[in-house]
Amino acid sequence: MKVLIVEDETDLLQSIMAFLKESGMNCEQAVNLAEAIEKINTHTFDCIVLDIGLPDGNGLRLIEELQKKEHQTGIVIVSARNALDDRLKGLNIGADDYITKPFYMPELSARIKSVVRRRSSQGKNEIIFHELRVFPEEMLMYINDKSVSLTRKEHELLMYMLSNQSKVLTKESIAEHLWGDHADMADSFDFIYSHIKNLRKKITDNGGRDYLKSVYGVGYKFSAE
């Protein structure tokens, strides 16, 4: 997997580079917008980790440059926690996900892999996982050809789990995926447990196996093991 990291904070850039390389990714770097534009014009990347606060311009311009091409590059925005407007604009013009500073390196790695996996499955109108068949665009799930109704949040939770099969997802990452910045307002993560419990019940009550595994003290994973 080839990843471009666009970041002007030297220490953070080196930390990201070191961690992702250790994770087996082939990484290149750019420390400003001009260098990043040059890189995307001469190389193809599976994913770009993009800081939007660059010294020579807003990193969102890089997304606009990519949109001029027929590309399949995943984009994960890195932003300050108070940069909500820029994050929303980035998602609206083509970014796939975002992560706010400060963040844990394993979470960034998981988001990159999830984005690349989703990008590679674009054009497929069906996801099959053992007896489960999911149609993302229609928000439909079938278990052994039986239709099962899901709420929007249950569907988003299921898609997040399917995109990160066998990976341990923290309660914090699930909350941020489902509720974005509003997750910070929660006093506890009981609402995650409720959605997990409801999704698990709908799967098992309709003849599916229990793929939603609790990982004590950490979170959950979606696995057939």
Side-chain angles (χ1 to χ4, degrees):
M1 184 187 303
K2 192 170 183 179
V3 180
L4 174 64
I5 299 113
V6 185
E7 173 60 62
D8 66 312
E9 294 181 30
T10 303
D11 291 344
L12 179 57
L13 173 62
Q14 295 308 316
S15 295
I16 295 173
M17 292 279 289
F19 186 88
L20 296 185
K21 284 182 177 179
E22 186 69 23
S23 302
M25 299 183 194
N26 179 11
C27 299
E28 293 195 24
Q29 67 182 54
V31 297
N32 55 49
L33 181 60
E35 188 177 354
I37 291 175
E38 181 181 353
K39 292 272 187 180
I40 66 168
N41 285 332
T42 55
H43 299 82
T44 299
F45 298 95
D46 297 300
C47 189
I48 297 174
V49 178
L50 176 62
D51 187 351
I52 53 181
L54 298 172
D56 58 341
N58 192 312
L60 297 181
R61 273 195 55 206
L62 188 69
I63 303 176
E64 294 170 348
E65 290 296 319
L66 274 172
Q67 296 297 67
K68 296 175 183 178
K69 314 169 183 285
E70 290 187 7
H71 76 96
Q72 290 299 320
T73 306
I75 302 168
V76 178
I77 290 174
V78 176
S79 73
R81 184 160 291 277
N82 62 358
L84 178 60
D85 288 345
D86 275 345
R87 287 201 299 275
L88 292 176
K89 182 178 178 183
L91 294 171
N92 286 334
I93 66 174
D96 298 278
D97 201 352
Y98 72 85
I99 190 167
T100 54
K101 297 179 183 179
F103 53 82
Y104 294 106
M105 293 297 170
E107 174 68 11
L108 174 62
S109 177
R111 287 179 182 245
I112 291 170
K113 292 175 182 176
S114 175
V115 163
V116 172
R117 189 180 298 114
R118 291 202 306 269
R119 281 275 179 176
S120 66
S121 66
Q122 280 187 353
K124 299 178 181 177
N125 57 6
E126 179 181 8
I127 298 173
I128 299 175
F129 185 85
H130 298 278
E131 70 275 15
L132 307 185
R133 291 168 56 228
V134 182
F135 296 84
E137 293 182 3
E138 294 85 358
M139 290 181 54
L140 295 176
M141 177 175 71
Y142 291 83
I143 301 177
N144 295 321
D145 295 325
K146 177 184 178 181
S147 177
V148 179
S149 176
L150 298 177
T151 67
R152 177 174 293 276
K153 289 301 181 187
E154 289 165 356
H155 173 77
E156 291 175 359
L157 174 61
L158 176 61
M159 292 303 302
Y160 188 48
M161 291 290 196
L162 285 170
S163 297
N164 293 278
Q165 294 171 27
S166 300
K167 298 183 185 302
V168 177
L169 301 173
T170 65
K171 295 174 183 177
E172 291 83 358
S173 71
I174 295 172
E176 186 170 335
H177 180 80
L178 295 181
W179 282 275
D181 285 352
H182 297 293
D184 293 343
M185 299 169 61
D187 294 328
S188 72
F189 292 112
D190 290 345
F191 57 91
I192 294 178
Y193 172 74
S194 296
H195 284 294
I196 292 281
K197 182 180 70 173
N198 292 340
L199 180 58
R200 177 187 285 126
K201 188 173 189 302
K202 286 186 176 181
I203 292 174
T204 56
D205 283 0
N206 288 280
R209 292 169 55 190
D210 183 6
Y211 298 114
L212 287 151
K213 314 294 184 182
S214 298
V215 181
Y216 183 75
V218 182
Y220 303 90
K221 70 176 180 177
F222 196 87
S223 174
E225 298 175 358

